[in-house]
Amino acid sequence: MAGIYIHIPFCRQACHYCDFHFSTSMKKRDEMVLALAKEIAMRREEFSAEIVETIYFGGGTPSVLSNEEIQFLIDAVYTNYTVGSNPEITIEANPDDLSSERIIQLSQSQVNRLSIGVQSFFEDDLKLMNRAHNALEAEECIIEAVKHFNNISIDLIYGIPGMSNERWIENVEKALSFGIPHISSYALTVEPKTALHTLVKKGIISAPSDESAQEQFQILVDTLEANGFVHYELSNFGKEGYFSRNNTAYWLGKKYIGIGPSAHSYDGTRRSWNIANNALYLKSVGDDMLPSETEKLTIADRYNEYVMTGLRTIWGVSLERVETELGSMYRAHLEKEAAKFITQGLLTNDNGIIKTTKSGKFLADGIASDLFFLNLD
């Protein structure tokens, strides 16, 4: 199984918390779509022996493209790669782009999964984050989307300054009321060089509270699990049969090609990333050059990445896989470093699979960093 990720580097406006690569200028949109299709063709040899099972439009805001432009890029993938018989084709979309007409048109295309960036159903939260849509648009687009799409995910953010636990519960219950099968949810974080970082530094907005975020994370887990969702990855919850195939492939170490400015790729032993600059990306592709840098992963890199991703998922980290793929030294290191967290009740060793416990889930990334192998070879 392999995947194609297509990064659409445009947004109508900048959310205060976002540190992804994008531009709010649409001047080069037509040129960019052609360049993305060209990069798709330029890289076809990388997957000459692979079956593409997922195509994912991320960003940025992919829904700023027209349905015709999205189909043009899907066609480019089909022209240049062997695509499976039932691929998952996802587009991230903002509520303000999802009119009834647009949803119907998308449902008639090859896109079969919508990921809707709701973030909150409350106007105050959306204004604080500088989202382009309002609360009414969020509700209306989901009501329309469920009429035409079976596979829908929405994003929600917790730990927003001023958000009480009661308001967070209302957010989660509102999401559940639509009957959607997948929810992705993230803690609001203050990333460097973002508007949110500046606003917090100036005291205009309070810094997010770690304690509040942890409480709201636990509310989220308890509520969604009680409603039949599987907490299959730290930030992702899905009904059976509705886990994101694209993201699951990332966490399980499958190969993927990232198309577009700032997009990352992985082939099992090497990681590459495209330049995060629209103008330089366009120039490079126009000159028939791939705009990327490549890093060959050391065994320690591969171990660290597997531990980081594995602890975030229900599949955990397999001691046998560590030993088979990376060596007995790495297995011994993992067992030794995990022991203290097992004693503290934050990890378990269940038949050779290291997993986080309920109390360890929120701390998964921090625990993983303590399990890293630091003497890089």
Side-chain angles (χ1 to χ4, degrees):
M1 175 180 173
I4 302 284
Y5 170 85
I6 304 173
H7 186 83
I8 308 302
F10 301 113
C11 289
R12 298 194 193 283
Q13 67 185 48
C15 298
H16 285 161
Y17 57 86
C18 182
D19 69 341
F20 292 157
H21 172 70
F22 66 91
S23 170
T24 54
S25 170
M26 305 284 177
K27 290 180 181 177
K28 299 287 187 179
R29 178 173 130 177
D30 293 347
E31 189 179 345
M32 181 63 71
V33 171
L34 292 174
L36 294 172
K38 185 174 180 179
E39 187 189 356
I40 288 169
M42 290 169 69
R43 300 183 67 178
R44 60 181 175 268
E45 291 305 315
E46 296 178 39
F47 271 8
S48 59
E50 303 291 337
I51 306 294
V52 173
E53 296 287 351
T54 65
I55 302 170
Y56 192 100
F57 289 87
T61 309
S63 55
V64 301
L65 297 189
S66 68
N67 292 343
E68 291 74 22
E69 288 168 325
I70 292 165
Q71 188 60 53
F72 174 71
L73 294 172
I74 293 173
D75 290 344
V77 173
Y78 271 83
T79 298
N80 291 284
Y81 300 82
T82 302
V83 181
S85 59
N86 183 34
E88 176 189 86
I89 304 180
T90 303
I91 179 170
E92 293 180 353
N94 278 355
D96 49 302
D97 291 324
L98 292 179
S99 64
S100 296
E101 182 182 4
R102 182 81 193 275
I103 291 169
I104 292 170
Q105 290 172 348
L106 280 171
S107 72
Q108 295 168 348
S109 73
Q110 288 167 287
V111 173
N112 52 28
R113 184 172 184 269
L114 287 183
S115 177
I116 305 175
V118 171
Q119 316 311 351
S120 176
F121 291 102
F122 288 92
E123 211 66 56
D124 289 348
D125 299 335
L126 296 173
K127 288 178 179 177
L128 181 147
M129 293 184 283
N130 200 40
R131 294 292 294 171
H133 68 277
N134 60 45
L136 181 60
E137 287 173 323
E139 292 189 38
E140 288 181 340
C141 84
I142 300 173
I143 290 170
E144 190 63 31
V146 296
K147 296 177 185 176
H148 304 282
F149 279 87
N150 180 45
N151 199 350
I152 297 172
S153 177
I154 68 167
D155 289 351
L156 292 176
I157 291 179
Y158 57 89
I160 299 171
M163 176 190 279
S164 65
N165 288 348
E166 290 72 26
R167 175 181 282 189
W168 176 237
I169 291 169
E170 286 186 59
N171 256 323
V172 177
E173 290 180 344
K174 172 67 74 173
L176 288 170
S177 71
F178 299 108
I180 54 172
H182 192 281
I183 293 174
S184 296
S185 192
Y186 309 89
L188 182 67
T189 54
V190 182
E191 301 292 349
K193 299 180 181 179
T194 62
L196 181 60
H197 181 266
T198 301
L199 292 168
V200 169
K201 192 174 180 180
K202 290 182 177 180
I204 297 171
I205 293 176
S206 301
S209 159
D210 289 342
E211 182 181 349
S212 236
Q214 189 161 358
E215 288 178 3
Q216 290 171 11
F217 173 78
Q218 200 54 60
I219 289 169
L220 175 73
V221 173
D222 293 343
T223 306
L224 293 186
E225 288 186 341
N227 282 272
F229 284 77
V230 178
H231 187 197
Y232 71 102
E233 192 272 343
L234 185 63
S235 302
N236 287 272
F237 305 77
K239 295 287 184 73
E240 289 288 354
Y242 290 95
F243 298 178
S244 167
R245 288 162 56 190
N246 175 81
N247 292 348
T248 297
Y250 291 163
W251 301 318
L252 296 180
K254 305 297 184 182
K255 297 178 182 179
Y256 58 90
I257 290 176
I259 302 294
S262 80
H264 284 60
S265 304
Y266 176 69
D267 69 1
T269 60
R270 294 176 301 171
R271 191 172 301 286
S272 63
W273 55 95
N274 285 348
I275 190 166
N277 181 295
N278 286 5
L280 293 178
Y281 171 85
L282 290 171
K283 183 179 187 308
S284 184
V285 174
D287 292 338
D288 299 320
M289 296 174 59
L290 290 175
S292 63
E293 295 181 49
T294 300
E295 169 192 25
K296 183 171 176 56
L297 300 176
T298 65
I299 295 176
D301 289 334
R302 291 164 58 195
Y303 164 84
N304 291 344
E305 290 198 8
Y306 177 43
V307 169
M308 174 63 79
T309 55
L311 284 189
R312 291 178 62 97
T313 72
I314 58 171
W315 302 286
V317 179
S318 165
L319 292 171
E320 181 179 355
R321 177 177 167 184
V322 169
E323 182 170 5
T324 301
E325 296 183 8
L326 307 173
S328 58
M329 177 176 68
Y330 290 92
R331 174 174 179 155
H333 173 81
L334 176 56
E335 288 184 294
K336 177 175 177 287
E337 297 302 319
K340 62 185 176 184
F341 294 106
I342 292 172
T343 301
Q344 293 168 12
L346 299 175
L347 293 179
T348 62
N349 182 345
D350 184 10
N351 293 319
I353 305 294
I354 305 295
K355 297 181 181 181
T356 55
T357 62
K358 185 175 181 178
S359 55
K361 284 185 188 297
F362 187 76
L363 307 171
D365 288 348
I367 294 170
S369 67
D370 283 345
L371 303 180
F372 284 175
F373 194 92
L374 300 179
N375 297 320
L376 303 182
D377 54 21

